[in-house]
Amino acid sequence: EQLEAVRVVALRTAKGELRIKLRPDWHAPSVTYVRTVALTDTCTAKCVFYRAEPGFLLQGGMRAVVPPNSRCRAFPGGPADCTDPQERPGGKMMEKGQVAWAGGSAGPDLFILMGRNGFGATHTVWGELADEASLALALELVQAPIEKGLKPGSMRMIADPISFTV
């Protein structure tokens, strides 16, 4: 009952909170994992945003002491451990401001889509930014300074990863 009462979680950074409205109707097992992390305060030192692609995505990891969601649907090119035919990625095309597990996996790496969807429905979508202030903060965070010496076309890794708690 306590788990189901959590409808919004906040990823707290030094610059403010990203509030995420949880969408169990899109993927209940993922929402259960995020709710458990929030209620047990088990986010480790690896709960960070580490990749910033302006106009595309803000990516990080929600590594916690609890095991990540492990239910995901197999799809061409997807992770080998995604074999559950009953599961599906978010159930719709991902839109700006929505939150999903990265790499088409079942977590714990996540991303917030900051632009147009180039993925189709291959990612497990489980939430969306809850308000305009959260979107504004995400737009600020995605502009974080990146590592020096990155080759053109490579992923933009944040020079000083942005820690968060849930």
Side-chain angles (χ1 to χ4, degrees):
E1 287 180 27
Q2 188 179 14
L3 273 181
E4 284 147 20
V6 177
R7 303 210 186 289
V8 175
V9 296
L11 307 185
R12 292 178 294 279
T13 74
K15 294 195 177 255
E17 290 185 350
L18 289 169
R19 293 171 37 85
I20 299 172
K21 178 182 176 186
L22 301 175
R23 296 295 305 259
D25 53 323
W26 291 348
H27 197 254
S30 294
V31 169
T32 297
Y33 171 70
V34 174
R35 286 172 169 161
T36 301
V37 171
L39 288 174
T40 57
D41 194 27
T42 52
C43 223
T44 68
K46 298 226 181 213
C47 287
V48 296
F49 290 110
Y50 56 79
R51 180 180 172 201
E53 306 279 353
F56 181 44
L57 61 77
L58 179 63
Q59 184 172 336
M62 189 183 294
R63 290 169 178 82
V65 177
V66 296
N69 166 54
S70 62
R71 291 183 62 191
C72 51
R73 181 187 73 178
F75 60 91
D81 60 345
C82 289
T83 59
D84 189 336
Q86 300 302 312
E87 288 303 317
R88 57 180 168 64
K92 62 184 208 67
M93 295 288 281
M94 194 171 183
E95 298 176 26
K96 183 177 180 177
Q98 292 179 347
V99 187
W101 298 126
S105 72
D109 286 61
L110 62 97
F111 71 98
I112 302 168
L113 187 64
M114 303 302 297
R116 293 184 57 218
N117 179 351
F119 302 117
T122 60
H123 288 76
T124 303
V125 185
W126 49 266
E128 60 191 336
L129 293 176
D131 50 48
E132 289 299 318
S134 295
L135 178 59
L137 178 58
L139 289 169
E140 178 184 344
L141 295 177
V142 81
Q143 299 296 327
I146 60 167
E147 292 177 354
K148 303 226 182 296
L150 293 175
K151 295 178 182 172
S154 64
M155 292 184 191
R156 295 172 38 96
M157 307 311 276
I158 298 173
D160 187 17
I162 301 163
S163 296
F164 63 84
T165 58
V166 182

